[in-house]
Amino acid sequence: MKKLQKPTKLQILKFIRYCLIVIAGNAVAASAAAFFIKPNGLVMGGTTGLGILVENLLTNAGKAGAAKWAGNVTVYAVNIALFILGAVMLGKKFAIATAAGTLLYPSFLSLWQLVNGLLNKLPSGNPFYLRDTDPLLAVIFGALIFGLGIGIVVRVGASTGGTDVPPLILNKYFGIPLAPAMWILDISIVLLQLIGGTEFPDVLYGILIQLSASLIVEKVALIGTKRAQVKIISRKYEEIRRMILDKLNRGVTMLYGKTGYLRDDCYMLLTIVSNRDVIKLKNAVQAIDPEAFFMVSIISEVRGNGFSSARVALPKSVEWQGEASVSDEAAVSQDKKSED
């Protein structure tokens, strides 16, 4: 049996940071529903939308006193049921990633609703009264804050669970695309609010909230991770290679190819730089070879050794041999410096 190793201080700090981010993300997402969406009679998808549906049905049935309590219990119950279903159908990895969100989100939702209720009992005119917020403002800020919270959670690889589970199961077992399935499910929950007596304009607002929040999630999840991928074709590839390594402190990969017209052998340099370094790299390349072919494309994320490492310094005695199709510099890291 393999002996378990004691976690390092860095691993413990990373785990604490991960937990704090997941807690903060769920708290932010729940605040959007508690302060902007529910108090203003708006609706949304997900388990929160199912809770709103139960509240509206009970309110219309003359049981307004139990409506809010029943709505919160619905969010808890559906989250836990879907978590169990996901753990069985999607495995242990899913369960670990969503366990916290399954309980954190409905807990924060209940807490923020209590806080909002207390704030609205303050004397009239207090600046924290949100019940009569303009509907469009409530939609905008509700979607923005909800998307921000979920995006924070998604960014660290966690999940709030809930109605994400059915689309994940459909994707795993039937190959149904994930994003369309999630959108269809959430918008269907919003449309169900018509059964609970929600007026059609408010349902349209709910669809707008759902679509806007999805866009915010995508943006937040990728903030700070986008980089520029640069490809360079030049006869002076060796000078440019050295410039990238020595002056820009970036790794570089050499890809072998042939020109399309004359079919001459050539090398294409591939490197990843921050967006602010693109102009610096372009100017440096043009200074070396004004005729160089320079291509830039934006990529969503970069992971792996060599990009965020300490300065890459090759031994001066090392000379490029010109035979390998891929150089080793892309794998140079702070802990290990490779030679060509």
Side-chain angles (χ1 to χ4, degrees):
M1 183 177 178
K2 189 176 179 180
K3 185 178 179 181
L4 295 176
Q5 294 183 346
K6 184 179 179 180
T8 64
K9 183 178 180 180
L10 180 60
Q11 289 174 327
I12 294 173
L13 290 175
K14 284 184 176 180
F15 178 73
I16 294 173
R17 174 177 172 272
Y18 171 84
C19 292
L20 291 175
I21 290 174
V22 172
I23 292 171
N26 279 278
V28 171
S31 70
F35 289 113
F36 290 97
I37 296 171
K38 296 183 71 174
N40 291 283
L42 300 173
V43 295
M44 59 187 300
T47 55
T48 305
L50 294 175
I52 292 173
L53 177 61
V54 170
E55 284 188 35
N56 291 338
L57 289 172
L58 290 176
T59 300
N60 294 337
K63 299 179 180 179
K68 184 174 293 187
W69 174 85
N72 291 338
V73 170
T74 299
V75 176
Y76 270 109
V78 175
N79 262 7
I80 293 172
L82 289 175
F83 170 76
I84 295 172
L85 178 64
V88 173
M89 301 291 288
L90 300 173
K92 182 171 64 175
K93 186 176 180 180
F94 167 85
I96 293 173
T98 59
T102 299
L103 295 177
L104 282 174
Y105 179 82
S107 297
F108 276 117
L109 181 61
S110 299
L111 173 63
W112 294 141
Q113 283 184 296
L114 177 62
V115 171
N116 191 46
L118 293 174
L119 291 175
N120 289 335
K121 290 180 179 179
L122 295 175
S124 60
N126 79 83
F128 301 105
Y129 189 85
L130 297 173
R131 190 180 300 277
D132 296 327
T133 303
D134 179 87
L136 188 56
L137 287 177
V139 167
I140 293 172
F141 282 96
L144 177 64
I145 296 172
F146 185 79
L148 174 64
I150 300 298
I152 291 171
V153 175
V154 171
R155 184 180 173 85
V156 296
S159 169
T160 56
T163 52
D164 290 352
V165 175
L168 287 170
I169 294 174
L170 292 174
N171 177 260
K172 179 178 180 179
Y173 291 98
F174 301 101
I176 297 175
L178 198 58
M182 287 182 172
W183 281 41
I184 290 171
L185 179 59
D186 283 329
I187 291 176
S188 297
I189 292 173
V190 173
L191 293 174
L192 278 176
Q193 306 298 331
L194 292 169
I195 300 174
T198 302
E199 295 183 0
F200 189 66
D202 291 331
V203 171
L204 294 180
Y205 276 135
I207 294 174
L208 183 59
I209 289 172
Q210 209 60 49
L211 297 178
S212 302
S214 297
L215 295 175
I216 298 298
V217 170
E218 293 178 6
K219 296 295 183 182
V220 172
L222 294 176
I223 284 178
T225 62
K226 290 187 177 182
R227 295 292 184 268
Q229 176 181 268
V230 180
K231 298 175 183 176
I232 306 164
I233 300 176
S234 170
R235 294 183 182 277
K236 298 181 179 180
Y237 51 81
E238 177 59 17
E239 294 179 52
I240 296 173
R241 181 186 75 97
R242 281 289 177 178
M243 177 271 296
I244 294 172
L245 292 171
D246 296 337
K247 294 184 178 180
L248 289 185
N249 188 27
R250 291 299 182 211
V252 59
T253 298
M254 300 180 67
L255 306 175
Y256 172 77
K258 285 180 178 292
T259 61
Y261 184 65
L262 298 176
R263 298 180 64 82
D264 292 335
D265 292 345
C266 70
Y267 284 96
M268 178 171 67
L269 303 178
L270 171 66
T271 187
I272 308 295
V273 298
S274 62
N275 294 332
R276 65 184 180 183
D277 284 336
V278 172
I279 299 300
K280 185 190 300 184
L281 175 59
K282 184 184 73 171
N283 293 338
V285 169
Q286 289 181 339
I288 296 172
D289 182 8
E291 297 182 356
F293 199 69
F294 191 91
M295 297 165 284
V296 180
S297 57
I298 302 301
I299 54 179
S300 296
E301 187 171 0
V302 181
R303 294 286 181 183
N305 292 334
F307 184 74
S308 59
S309 62
R311 186 178 186 278
V312 177
L314 296 178
K316 292 184 178 180
S317 60
V318 174
E319 294 295 336
W320 179 73
Q321 301 300 317
E323 297 296 333
S325 60
V326 179
S327 70
D328 294 326
E329 285 84 0
V332 176
S333 65
Q334 183 176 359
D335 300 322
K336 182 179 179 181
K337 298 179 181 178
S338 60
E339 295 183 354
D340 288 20

